[in-house]
Amino acid sequence: AINVTDPGDESRLPNSASVTTYSITFPVISTLSGTDDVDITVALDDTIAAGMSIVSIDGIAIGATSGAIVRTFAFNTTQNITVVYTVANNAAGSTSDITLTATSQSVPSATDNETAIVTIIKPALSVTKEVFTDSGLTTPVAGDVDPGQTLYYRVTVENTGTAATGLMTVTD
């Protein structure tokens, strides 16, 4: 038998200057008798939603939405098949499935597959600025202000997105 282990779903930021690719590993287990070649196929189901592309399968360049390689398995062994992929700058919540299918070349053949769902996550920042007449920030400015009057400001930055934000600077 051939068994593909579920690698789990992933949440990913779109590719950026600092992160250009991501990877996911599918453990493939062979309990076939003897040594057998196994066709490993990887495909994306909906490349429009997350704008994904497969870069490589186990180090072999693909650069498309699907690809295939062959691996030789000895009896009762596990090989970790790594899929490297990119994620486009599409809307947060967009998803694509990466499905890995393993099919033995022996007769009769054995097949198994697993799917990982990749969801795009993004930070969503908002900035608000409030003006107060007291240092305790309890009395908002209402109406006109006198020349020379001391004012106090509170700037609030809030992330309501689905991902943490990196280092940032707020300039007023």
Side-chain angles (χ1 to χ4, degrees):
I2 292 284
N3 295 304
V4 180
T5 304
D6 184 355
D9 296 338
E10 301 199 339
S11 297
R12 297 293 189 202
L13 291 164
N15 289 38
S16 66
S18 61
V19 178
T20 57
T21 60
Y22 294 103
S23 65
I24 187 167
T25 300
F26 290 82
V28 178
I29 304 161
S30 169
T31 56
L32 300 166
S33 60
T35 300
D36 195 8
D37 287 336
V38 176
D39 296 322
I40 305 290
T41 304
V42 177
L44 301 174
D45 76 326
D46 187 355
T47 58
I48 295 170
M52 292 176 54
S53 179
I54 299 169
V55 175
S56 66
I57 303 170
D58 242 19
I60 298 172
I62 301 297
T65 57
S66 65
I69 63 170
V70 176
R71 288 291 177 255
T72 301
F73 281 78
F75 171 70
N76 209 24
T77 59
T78 300
Q79 291 189 34
N80 292 318
I81 307 299
T82 301
V83 178
V84 176
Y85 61 95
T86 62
V87 178
N89 190 15
N90 289 353
S94 300
T95 63
S96 276
D97 295 349
I98 299 175
T99 301
L100 184 140
T101 302
T103 303
S104 67
Q105 293 181 1
S106 62
V107 178
S109 69
T111 298
D112 193 26
N113 65 59
E114 280 294 340
T115 299
I117 300 169
V118 178
T119 303
I120 291 180
I121 57 173
K122 290 183 176 183
L125 301 178
S126 64
V127 179
T128 57
K129 182 177 178 180
E130 301 169 277
V131 183
F132 299 89
T133 57
D134 65 311
S135 63
L137 305 178
T138 59
T139 309
V141 168
D144 294 334
V145 223
D146 296 326
Q149 182 178 356
T150 300
L151 299 175
Y152 302 88
Y153 295 87
R154 174 173 45 209
V155 177
T156 304
V157 180
E158 182 179 15
N159 180 2
T160 58
T162 54
T165 185
L167 296 175
M168 61 178 214
T169 301
V170 177
T171 305
D172 182 29

